[in-house]
Amino acid sequence: MNLKFDWDKRKGQGIVSGDLFEQIREYFSVHNDAARFARMRGRFCPSRTYVITPAGRFDIGLYYEIRKYITENQLNPKLEHTDEFLDILLNSRLVDNDVKVKPLKYELRDYQHQTVTKCLCNGCGVVTLATGGGKTLIMASVLENIINPNFKCILIVPDLGLVEQTYKSFEEYGVTFTFSKWTGSDELNLGTNVVITNLGILQSSNSDTEWVHHVDILMIDEVHKLRRGNKINKIIKKVQTSNKFGFTGTMPENLLDQWNIIGKIGPIIYNKSSYDLRKQKFISNVKVQILNLEYNDSPKRVTTNNPTEGYRNELDFIAESPFRNDVLKTLCNNFDNNALILIDFLAHGENLYNVLNSQCKDKKVYYIRGEVEVSEREKVKQLMEERTDVIVVAISKIFSTGIDIKNLHYIIFASGGKAKIKTVQSIGRGLRLHKDKKELIIFDIADQLKYGMQHVLKREQFYKTESIVYGTQTIKEKSQEKSCKEG
């Protein structure tokens, strides 16, 4: 058996060929759920979705996964690599063998030092580090230790809030390289070593992104958002450098999305879980209380077979439920410190904000949504660090990822859902250590309705996977009787 790896310079992809090609291509594929529906409509649709093309082309980072597959299955083919392929694969180291990491203002923990060293030696790859592990400090330390003083880096973060937060963190760390922000309000400054920017402006049709061809380093924070088919993939493809790094708290569950990230960025070079960080007391401990809400009524019946319509009706029902809002109001009034309530839809947030603002008289209640300026969000975050009576209702897409709030003691999952990344990242918002915080308490609202019951089972699996202790409590609408059991 033989297997050959070549490089397609025009397309910027590897090419694999040989006796094991079909077997490998089949392994790096998944069942195409859309195929059955397409056939029902008389249309052709492949039964599987592949990440390696019929001609053998693949994103270079996937090479390491191919080699892993070969090794684990003891296939032992004769491997051949062209010089062009090896040049691309091996020409990414950022330092010599003797790595001496220059310190910043804050001393690196052992695992952070290991991660920086891995990044510098590998020259590319994905770091999976749970929230609170110090990803921004690691990114700054990697950049601080670049040998070339004139390097150019584009650092991509999901949103404007994280642009501002990353910029301030770099200032706080005392880095010696120059850095700037590129947003709708901040002009592009290519005279600095690092340009910190957000997905929105990169994907804008009005933005000139040709300059990304020539950067020396690409860094992507919250790289789990680099999903297969997302527009940002076209921007990433323009970046010619081999030195690409991705940082995230957790990789996507979908294999196609995992392979897309690894293919575009590189192999997973370091992994440290939330459980490890909690065990070593680097982040706060966490407990989850699942509240099973039992209703007297049900959402209106759906006359079609469209599951989306049924789910939407259920969401409308819970958003407008006086019983549910009363439970949330009671929780908030009983909190002895700050709380974050995460919801998914604007109307739900507006309704909940109005209830809490009128019925939680001893609390400062805020509603954070897309149109709230970044400066205002920063003011609310600062207020939470200074006070103990703040309740923030927030759209989960805005506050579930990357936001640092140390003085946050309670989080309420008020919109259900089953997405792993949203759940895990949302928990991360409250894991920062604080002098007055013994542990983070999560209240998970589990509506005993069709979709609510399905989704909470999925979230329970996440809690088990993350080694998070959780319990359940049932609250009935009519009698408000309660029964408890440990989970």
Side-chain angles (χ1 to χ4, degrees):
M1 293 188 297
N2 69 83
L3 201 62
K4 180 180 179 180
F5 292 94
D6 201 351
W7 182 250
D8 185 332
K9 184 177 180 181
R10 186 175 66 87
K11 290 188 174 290
Q13 288 185 302
I15 304 174
V16 60
S17 59
D19 299 323
L20 292 172
F21 170 67
E22 291 297 340
Q23 181 178 341
I24 290 171
R25 184 168 185 259
E26 195 67 22
Y27 175 78
F28 289 99
S29 69
V30 298
H31 177 71
N32 186 357
D33 294 330
R36 181 169 65 90
F37 298 103
R39 287 195 295 269
M40 290 170 58
R41 292 173 172 80
R43 301 173 184 171
F44 171 75
C45 185
S47 60
R48 298 191 70 79
T49 303
Y50 296 84
V51 296
I52 301 176
T53 72
R57 291 187 179 87
F58 63 95
D59 290 329
I60 186 68
L62 197 67
Y63 170 80
Y64 301 95
E65 292 296 300
I66 295 173
R67 288 294 300 269
K68 181 180 176 182
Y69 170 75
I70 292 170
T71 302
E72 289 179 348
N73 289 275
Q74 300 180 336
L75 298 176
N76 301 319
K78 179 182 178 182
L79 296 177
E80 180 183 350
H81 304 80
T82 65
D83 290 341
E84 292 86 352
F85 186 85
L86 288 176
D87 284 344
I88 296 296
L89 190 69
L90 303 177
N91 190 27
S92 59
R93 289 178 62 91
L94 291 170
V95 295
D96 299 324
N97 290 326
D98 186 18
V99 181
K100 294 182 179 178
V101 177
K102 291 187 293 184
L104 293 172
K105 180 179 177 181
Y106 297 106
E107 183 177 350
L108 294 174
R109 300 166 181 167
D110 287 346
Y111 71 84
Q112 292 171 335
H113 192 281
Q114 291 170 18
T115 308
V116 172
T117 301
K118 284 270 190 181
C119 289
L120 293 170
C121 288
N122 284 66
C124 67
V126 176
V127 172
T128 57
L129 179 61
T131 300
K135 291 190 292 291
T136 307
L137 179 58
I138 289 170
M139 287 190 285
S141 296
V142 171
L143 294 170
E144 184 70 17
N145 285 274
I146 302 299
I147 295 173
N148 174 15
N150 299 314
F151 75 90
K152 297 293 181 185
C153 169
I154 177 172
L155 199 170
I156 303 172
V157 300
D159 54 46
L160 291 171
L162 276 174
V163 171
E164 191 66 32
Q165 184 170 293
T166 303
Y167 186 91
K168 288 181 178 179
S169 293
F170 280 11
E171 286 183 323
E172 184 182 347
Y173 300 154
V175 300
T176 60
F177 57 82
T178 58
F179 55 97
S180 60
K181 296 178 284 187
W182 181 36
T183 67
S185 304
D186 301 283
E187 294 291 329
L188 177 62
N189 180 3
L190 294 178
T192 58
N193 294 120
V194 180
V195 175
I196 307 168
T197 190
N198 60 298
L199 290 173
I201 195 164
L202 277 174
Q203 296 175 129
S204 171
S205 58
N206 297 322
S207 297
D208 178 9
T209 57
E210 291 305 307
W211 62 276
V212 304
H213 278 284
H214 312 293
V215 298
D216 302 300
I217 297 166
L218 166 69
M219 280 190 172
I220 304 178
D221 192 15
E222 311 297 352
V223 76
H224 58 267
K225 293 181 178 291
L226 187 62
R227 303 295 179 88
R228 179 182 170 92
N230 282 5
K231 186 178 177 181
I232 189 62
N233 284 280
K234 294 181 179 179
I235 305 295
I236 302 306
K237 194 169 183 179
K238 291 182 178 181
V239 181
Q240 299 299 304
T241 181
S242 299
N243 300 129
K244 299 174 182 176
F245 300 95
F247 297 83
T248 182
T250 181
M251 289 286 275
E253 288 186 288
N254 185 292
L255 281 174
L256 291 178
D257 290 331
Q258 289 183 28
W259 290 330
N260 182 65
I261 292 169
I262 290 170
K264 298 284 192 305
I265 305 301
I268 296 175
I269 57 177
Y270 194 86
N271 176 55
K272 197 172 186 68
S273 69
S274 176
Y275 174 72
D276 289 335
L277 291 175
R278 295 199 308 272
K279 187 169 64 173
Q280 294 174 288
K281 301 188 184 304
F282 289 128
I283 59 176
S284 175
N285 194 20
V286 58
K287 291 182 180 178
V288 175
Q289 183 68 43
I290 298 173
L291 300 181
N292 295 319
L293 302 191
E294 294 186 356
Y295 297 86
N296 290 334
D297 300 319
S298 301
K300 64 181 180 180
R301 296 187 62 181
V302 178
T303 55
T304 69
N305 292 324
N306 185 349
T308 302
E309 185 178 346
Y311 182 46
R312 183 69 236 195
N313 282 347
E314 187 168 304
L315 291 175
D316 290 340
F317 174 82
I318 65 173
E320 297 166 2
S321 166
F323 159 62
R324 193 180 199 267
N325 286 337
D326 188 65
V327 170
L328 295 175
K329 177 261 297 183
T330 302
L331 280 174
C332 290
N333 276 326
N334 288 330
F335 287 156
D336 58 2
N337 216 303
N338 300 326
L340 173 65
I341 306 177
L342 294 171
I343 45 88
D344 288 338
F345 299 98
L346 288 171
H348 185 187
E350 190 72 36
N351 186 34
L352 185 56
Y353 168 75
N354 289 334
V355 170
L356 299 180
N357 194 43
S358 62
Q359 298 187 38
C360 298
K361 299 297 186 182
D362 295 328
K363 305 290 183 180
K364 300 283 186 181
V365 184
Y366 299 90
Y367 179 27
I368 303 297
R369 53 209 183 278
E371 62 263 34
V372 175
E373 295 290 339
V374 172
S375 58
E376 288 302 310
R377 300 178 202 175
E378 291 296 317
K379 288 179 182 178
V380 173
K381 284 168 53 184
Q382 185 59 40
L383 200 64
M384 294 181 81
E385 300 294 3
E386 298 169 354
R387 301 178 65 104
T388 60
D389 58 352
V390 179
I391 305 292
V392 175
V393 180
I395 299 292
S396 59
K397 286 184 179 180
I398 296 175
F399 258 41
S400 68
T401 301
I403 301 298
D404 286 336
I405 306 172
K406 295 182 177 66
N407 192 24
L408 176 60
H409 295 238
Y410 304 97
I411 298 178
I412 300 177
F413 293 164
S415 282
K418 58 180 180 177
K420 172 188 174 184
I421 288 180
K422 187 183 84 169
T423 303
V424 174
Q425 294 277 3
S426 296
I427 292 171
R429 303 289 59 80
L431 292 180
R432 305 287 180 178
L433 295 174
H434 187 272
K435 60 182 179 65
D436 296 325
K437 181 165 60 179
K438 294 181 179 179
E439 62 186 6
L440 171 69
I441 304 296
I442 305 285
F443 287 92
D444 184 331
I445 308 301
D447 303 287
Q448 299 302 285
L449 303 169
K450 179 179 178 180
Y451 297 100
M453 289 189 291
Q454 293 175 11
H455 293 175
V456 73
L457 292 176
K458 187 77 171 179
R459 296 197 298 277
E460 285 181 12
Q461 288 302 313
F462 299 153
Y463 301 144
K464 291 175 182 176
T465 301
E466 296 291 317
S467 301
I468 295 174
V469 175
Y470 70 92
T472 63
Q473 177 176 326
T474 297
I475 304 177
K476 298 181 179 180
E477 180 175 4
K478 190 172 184 178
S479 62
Q480 297 286 298
E481 294 173 356
K482 301 179 182 181
S483 62
C484 300
K485 65 176 182 177
E486 286 300 314

